[in-house]
Amino acid sequence: MISLRAIGVVVLLMMAGLLPSKAAEADLRAALAKFVTATSFPATEAVVRELAASGDPSVEGALSALADGNLYIRKSDSQLFIGRDAGGRTELLDPLSGEKVAEADKAELARVKINNSLRRVVRDALGALTLRAKDANLRLAAANTMFKTPDAGNIEALDAAIAAETDTAIKATFEQARAASILVSDKPEADKLAAVSTIAARGDRDALSVLASAEANSQGAVKGAAASAIARIDSTLALWDAIQNIWYGISLGSVLLLAAIGLAITFGVMGVINMAHGEMVMLGAYTTFVVQQVIRGSFPGLFDWSLIIALPLAFLVAALVGLVIERGIIRFLYGRPLETLLATWGVSLILQQAVRTLFGPTNQEVGNPSWMSGSFDVGQVAITWNRLWILVFALAVFVVLLYVMKRTPWGLRMRAVTANRRMAASMGIRTPWVDALTFALGSGIAGIAGVALSQIDNVSPNLGRGYIIDSFMVVVFGGVGNLWGTLVGAFSLGIVNKFLEPYAGAVLGKIVVLVMIILFIQKRPRGLFALKGRAVEA
C-alpha cells in the first residue's frame, strides 16, 4: 500500500515541475512512441525535435540513450525501452522514469538507428533541455557550449530560455549564444550585424573564434563588421595577455621570495654559501606530506587544516636541521667560503639520499585543501587560489621577518653582528649563538617555504635543487642581506622571466636573465640595495 507520505512527495514534485503531470506524461509517451514508427533518419530527427520542444527534462534519458545507441524497440509488442546490459541479457528501462520494467534477449529487441548527423541533433536537443535546468551552473554550461558550437536550430530554444531566465549573467550568455547561432543562420543582414556587436562585447577568445568563422563565411557588411570586431578584440586580448604575464610573474616571484628569503639572512649575516638551502625547502615539503598522511589516517576531518598544522612543524624540523649543520660543520669553516660551499653541497647530497631512503625516490602526493583549490577569473585573467594564497603567505612571511629584524632585541643583535662583528662581541653579544640562531632561522623559513611549494610542485628528493640557483640570483641581484632587495629582486626576476618565456623558452629565458644579472653586477657589485656591514666589507 502506498503511504500518504509517498503520495505527498509525488504531489510536491509535480508542483515543483520535476515530474510531468498526467496529461504531459501522456503527450511525452505519445511522442516517444513515434520512434517506433519512424522509418528514416529524417523521421527520427523530427521526433527528437518534438521532444526537445517540450522542454521537459524527463526526456533526457531517452535522448541520451538514443545518442549512445541504447534505445530499443521490443519486437513482440512494439514498445520502446532504454536498454542496459546485464550480463547475457538486456535490462529494459522505462524511457521516462528510468525504472526497470523487464529483461530480454538481444534477439527480441530492435535498436533505434542513429547516424552522426542525428547525434548532433540529439546533442543540440539535450543542450536545449539543459537550458531550462534547475541548476544555474548547468544552464550556464549549456549556453557556453551552444556559443562555441553555434547552430541555427538552437535559436528557438534560446529564445524560450532568454524569456524564462531571471539570472542576469546567464541571460547575457544565452543572448551571446543566440547571436552566434544567428551568424550561421539565414537571418537578415541587420540581425547578423547586431549579432556581431553582441559577440564583440563578450571580447574573449571564444568570441574571437566565432567571429573569425563568421568573417570567413560572410560577405559584405557582416564580413567587414566581423573583421573590425576581431581587430578590437585582438588589441584588448593583447593587453589582457600582458596583465596575465604580470600576474604569472608575480606568482613566480612569490615562490622565489619564499625560497630566497631565508638564504638572504644566512648569506647576508653570516657570509655562508649554503648549498643545502634547497634541501631545507624539501624537508618542509616532506613534513607537510607526513602531516597529511597522519591526518588522512587518523583525523580526516582536519584535512583542510593540514597546512596550518604543518607550518610550525616544518619550521621546527628545518630549523633544527639547520642548527645541527651550523653547530656541527659550518662554525669550523667561517672565513673559508669555498670549503663551506663544498661542505654544504655534501650535506645536501646526504639529505637527499636520506629522504630517498625514508620515503622512496618517487613523487609523493600532497593534497590541496578546499580553500586552496579551484580558480576564478578577473576579466580575461585566470587566477588560481593556491597561487594567490602563496602570494599572500610570502608577503606575510616577509612582513613578520622584517618586524623581527627591525623591532626585536634579537633582530638588533643580528644587525649589530652584520654591521661589525668585533664591536658587537665587545658589547657582550654572543656572536657564535647569533650565527647559530640566524642559520636556524634562515633554514626554518626555507622549511615553511616548502609547505607552500608542496601545493604547486612535485614533492620529491630533488625539489630543492630547482630553487637553489634562482634563490642565489635573487639574493645577489637584490643586494646581499637586504630583505627589501630580496623582495624587489624576486618579483622583478619573476616578471622578466614570464615575459621572456614566450619568445625564448623557459630554459633560454633563464639563461638570458642570468646574463643580464651578470652584466648588472658589473655596474653595481652590491646589487640593487647595497648593505653596509661585515658581509660587504669581507
Side-chain angles (χ1 to χ4, degrees):
M1 183 176 178
I2 300 176
S3 68
L4 291 175
R5 179 178 294 179
I7 295 173
V9 169
V10 172
V11 171
L12 287 173
L13 289 173
M14 290 178 65
M15 290 174 64
L18 298 179
L19 287 178
S21 65
K22 289 287 185 181
E25 181 180 348
D27 291 341
L28 292 177
R29 291 193 182 278
L32 286 167
K34 295 178 181 178
F35 279 125
V36 178
T37 57
T39 57
S40 64
F41 290 131
T44 304
E45 179 180 336
V47 178
V48 171
R49 293 193 182 279
E50 181 181 349
L51 291 171
S54 71
D56 197 309
S58 61
V59 301
E60 289 183 22
L63 293 178
S64 297
L66 174 62
D68 296 334
N70 294 326
L71 196 63
Y72 293 94
I73 301 169
R74 189 164 58 188
K75 297 176 182 178
S76 60
D77 55 6
S78 297
Q79 292 296 308
L80 187 75
F81 297 98
I82 297 173
R84 184 170 64 192
D85 186 56
R89 292 174 64 79
T90 301
E91 291 183 348
L92 303 181
L93 312 180
D94 184 89
L96 280 183
S97 67
E99 296 177 356
K100 180 180 176 182
V101 176
E103 290 186 0
D105 292 325
K106 288 285 180 68
E108 302 173 34
L109 305 171
R111 192 192 306 270
V112 178
K113 295 181 180 180
I114 188 171
N115 59 12
N116 288 335
S117 176
L118 190 53
R119 282 191 179 91
R120 285 193 290 272
V121 174
V122 172
R123 180 201 65 198
D124 295 338
L126 289 171
L129 288 171
T130 312
L131 292 175
R132 310 296 293 275
K134 300 293 182 183
D135 189 336
N137 291 327
L138 288 177
R139 299 200 303 275
L140 185 60
N144 280 319
T145 299
M146 286 187 171
F147 180 80
K148 295 173 186 177
T149 56
D151 189 325
N154 295 335
I155 295 175
E156 185 177 344
L158 285 165
D159 283 337
I162 290 169
E165 186 57 58
T166 57
D167 187 295
T168 304
I170 298 176
K171 188 172 184 176
T173 309
F174 284 165
E175 291 170 347
Q176 292 161 5
R178 181 181 184 277
S181 297
I182 285 175
L183 288 179
V184 297
S185 71
D186 56 359
K187 293 283 187 180
E189 186 178 83
D191 290 350
K192 292 188 177 182
L193 289 173
V196 169
S197 178
T198 300
I199 295 170
R202 176 169 172 143
D204 61 1
R205 298 190 188 281
D206 291 331
L208 197 64
S209 176
V210 171
L211 290 172
S213 176
E215 182 190 17
N217 298 309
S218 302
Q219 300 293 331
V222 175
K223 186 179 184 70
S228 178
I230 288 171
R232 292 197 303 273
I233 293 176
D234 278 335
S235 62
T236 302
L237 288 179
L239 177 61
W240 280 113
D241 285 342
I243 296 172
Q244 181 84 70
N245 277 336
I246 291 172
W247 162 246
Y248 285 156
I250 291 173
S251 176
L252 175 60
S254 66
V255 172
L256 294 178
L257 177 63
L258 279 175
I261 196 167
L263 189 64
I265 297 173
T266 56
F267 194 21
V269 175
M270 304 171 65
V272 173
I273 303 175
N274 179 20
M275 295 301 293
H277 182 77
E279 279 55 53
M280 302 299 109
V281 175
M282 175 196 68
L283 290 177
Y286 272 96
T287 302
T288 308
F289 166 71
V290 172
V291 168
Q292 287 197 352
Q293 289 297 100
V294 172
I295 288 176
R296 281 192 179 105
S298 304
F299 312 100
L302 295 176
F303 185 80
D304 276 351
W305 294 88
S306 59
L307 296 188
I308 308 299
I309 297 170
L311 280 174
L313 294 177
F315 179 87
L316 291 174
V317 168
L320 181 60
V321 172
L323 184 64
V324 170
I325 292 172
E326 198 281 334
R327 289 287 84 190
I329 299 173
I330 292 176
R331 73 187 181 103
F332 301 109
L333 301 174
Y334 286 130
R336 291 180 283 179
L338 181 59
E339 294 180 26
T340 305
L341 185 150
L342 292 173
T344 53
W345 181 60
V347 169
S348 73
L349 296 178
I350 293 171
L351 290 174
Q352 287 181 35
Q353 191 56 47
V355 168
R356 284 191 183 93
T357 302
L358 289 173
F359 300 101
T362 57
N363 296 340
Q364 301 296 338
E365 178 187 358
V366 175
N368 292 105
S370 60
W371 49 275
M372 288 190 76
S373 302
S375 63
F376 63 96
D377 293 333
V378 177
Q380 301 297 320
V381 178
I383 298 177
T384 56
W385 281 109
N386 58 356
R387 291 277 183 175
L388 181 61
W389 280 114
I390 287 174
L391 173 61
V392 173
F393 177 67
L395 294 176
V397 170
F398 176 82
V399 171
V400 170
L401 190 57
L402 199 63
Y403 177 82
V404 169
M405 295 284 286
K406 300 293 185 181
R407 300 293 182 181
T408 65
W410 187 79
L412 178 62
R413 286 193 286 270
M414 185 190 301
R415 287 186 289 121
V417 173
T418 304
N420 192 316
R421 171 177 288 272
R422 291 181 181 178
M423 183 63 74
S426 68
M427 297 294 292
I429 296 175
R430 299 176 63 184
T431 57
W433 277 107
V434 171
D435 288 338
L437 294 177
T438 299
F439 197 88
L441 175 64
S443 299
I445 292 172
I448 61 176
V451 177
L453 294 180
S454 69
Q455 300 298 295
I456 59 173
D457 207 340
N458 295 323
V459 177
S460 71
N462 299 322
L463 172 64
R465 186 184 300 174
Y467 293 98
I468 185 66
I469 301 301
D470 288 339
S471 298
F472 273 110
M473 285 199 299
V474 168
V475 172
V476 172
F477 175 65
V480 175
N482 191 298
L483 293 182
W484 284 107
T486 303
L487 177 72
V488 174
F491 287 120
S492 299
L493 294 183
I495 292 172
V496 169
N497 259 311
K498 287 303 175 182
F499 273 96
L500 285 175
E501 279 182 9
Y503 307 101
V507 176
L508 186 56
K510 285 192 174 184
I511 294 173
V512 171
V513 170
L514 178 60
V515 172
M516 291 169 62
I517 291 175
I518 292 172
L519 295 176
F520 175 80
I521 291 174
Q522 299 301 311
K523 295 293 184 181
R524 292 181 63 91
R526 297 182 181 182
L528 283 173
F529 298 89
L531 184 68
K532 295 181 180 180
R534 175 175 62 88
V536 176
E537 294 163 359

